[in-house]
Amino acid sequence: MKVLIVDDDALVAQSLSTILSVEDDVDVVGLGGSGPEAVERYRELAPDILLMDIQMPGGDGLSAAERILAEDAGARIVFLTTFSDDEYIVRALKMGSRGYLIKQDVAQVAPALRSVMAGVCVLEGEVLERSATMGLSARSGQQSQAQPGGSREDLRGTVFAALTDREYEVVEAVAEGLDNAEAAARLFMSEGTVRNHISSILAKLGLRNRTQVAVMYYRSAQTG
């Protein structure tokens, strides 16, 4: 696999290159140090995977990923970051990235990239692990599975089958990043009703917070 590494810390980028280059199936084709450079080098090198930091002074990775995916919807982008931030995780998944890894465990990078090449989304961190497990187990017995870009009915009939229609509408609102007040206004219900629905959703899906709900929603849309 051809891998492009983009990180504003040149030492980190070079270290990742050194670590990955010893793998027989990895060819590090280039390095970059900013979001704009990631876009330029992706166009130039056409890598199989772009491994990129999120927060970079010269232009952040999330914005760069959005530009790349707008030009190449099949781009395999994996974020490698020190920031296990809920907002970053949901935004990364929502745009269609293939992974979100934490820098502390670099030994897992190569195996994760192999999984991405095999068509699997790789997600790391406590927030993600349980939602990923729940999503896979909930789908395992289903004949009809959600595909990338799948319809609302695809998702509704698999991972979220246990939810009522109104609960699923709340899931969609949460996945869009709406707070309780905004969800209540959209769905014509009180904030208290929204809170009750969220409590019910968490209990039915075995999740702990609304971020896990959003992660499960976007992961379900990406994998089948």
Side-chain angles (χ1 to χ4, degrees), residues 52 63 90 116 143 150 190 219:
M52 179 164 54
S63 297
V90 173
V116 169
Q143 294 299 314
S190 70
R219 194 181 200 287

Tab-separated table of all heavy atoms in Angstrom, residues 52 63 90 116 143 150 190 219:
chain	number	residue	atom	x	y	z
A	52	MET	N	-3.016	11.230	8.526
A	52	MET	CA	-2.897	12.673	8.735
A	52	MET	C	-3.263	13.102	10.153
A	52	MET	O	-4.209	12.594	10.754
A	52	MET	CB	-3.811	13.381	7.718
A	52	MET	CG	-3.817	14.895	7.811
A	52	MET	SD	-4.531	15.696	6.341
A	52	MET	CE	-6.142	14.893	6.236
A	63	SER	N	-10.322	19.945	7.607
A	63	SER	CA	-10.667	20.754	6.429
A	63	SER	C	-10.004	20.198	5.175
A	63	SER	O	-10.616	20.163	4.099
A	63	SER	CB	-10.237	22.207	6.650
A	63	SER	OG	-10.927	22.785	7.735
A	90	VAL	N	-16.665	12.707	15.779
A	90	VAL	CA	-17.930	12.708	15.038
A	90	VAL	C	-17.763	13.380	13.681
A	90	VAL	O	-18.257	12.896	12.662
A	90	VAL	CB	-19.043	13.384	15.859
A	90	VAL	CG1	-20.311	13.549	15.026
A	90	VAL	CG2	-19.344	12.566	17.109
A	116	VAL	N	-7.908	-0.984	6.864
A	116	VAL	CA	-8.503	0.015	5.977
A	116	VAL	C	-8.424	-0.444	4.525
A	116	VAL	O	-9.374	-0.313	3.755
A	116	VAL	CB	-7.800	1.380	6.151
A	116	VAL	CG1	-8.213	2.355	5.058
A	116	VAL	CG2	-8.141	1.974	7.520
A	143	GLN	N	-30.016	-9.853	7.667
A	143	GLN	CA	-29.819	-10.167	6.260
A	143	GLN	C	-29.637	-8.899	5.436
A	143	GLN	O	-28.894	-8.872	4.480
A	143	GLN	CB	-31.034	-10.945	5.722
A	143	GLN	CG	-31.193	-12.316	6.345
A	143	GLN	CD	-30.001	-13.197	6.063
A	143	GLN	OE1	-29.514	-13.278	4.948
A	143	GLN	NE2	-29.509	-13.874	7.105
A	150	GLY	N	-26.105	4.403	2.652
A	150	GLY	CA	-27.358	3.664	2.650
A	150	GLY	C	-28.528	4.534	3.017
A	150	GLY	O	-28.391	5.607	3.593
A	190	SER	N	-40.809	18.702	23.683
A	190	SER	CA	-40.145	19.450	24.748
A	190	SER	C	-38.733	18.925	24.958
A	190	SER	O	-38.402	17.799	24.571
A	190	SER	CB	-40.930	19.325	26.050
A	190	SER	OG	-40.833	17.998	26.556
A	219	ARG	N	-20.851	5.227	11.825
A	219	ARG	CA	-20.169	3.966	11.519
A	219	ARG	C	-21.108	3.023	10.783
A	219	ARG	O	-20.703	2.309	9.866
A	219	ARG	CB	-19.642	3.310	12.804
A	219	ARG	CG	-18.643	2.202	12.495
A	219	ARG	CD	-18.128	1.537	13.752
A	219	ARG	NE	-16.879	0.838	13.506
A	219	ARG	CZ	-16.786	-0.301	12.838
A	219	ARG	NH1	-17.870	-0.872	12.344
A	219	ARG	NH2	-15.621	-0.882	12.643
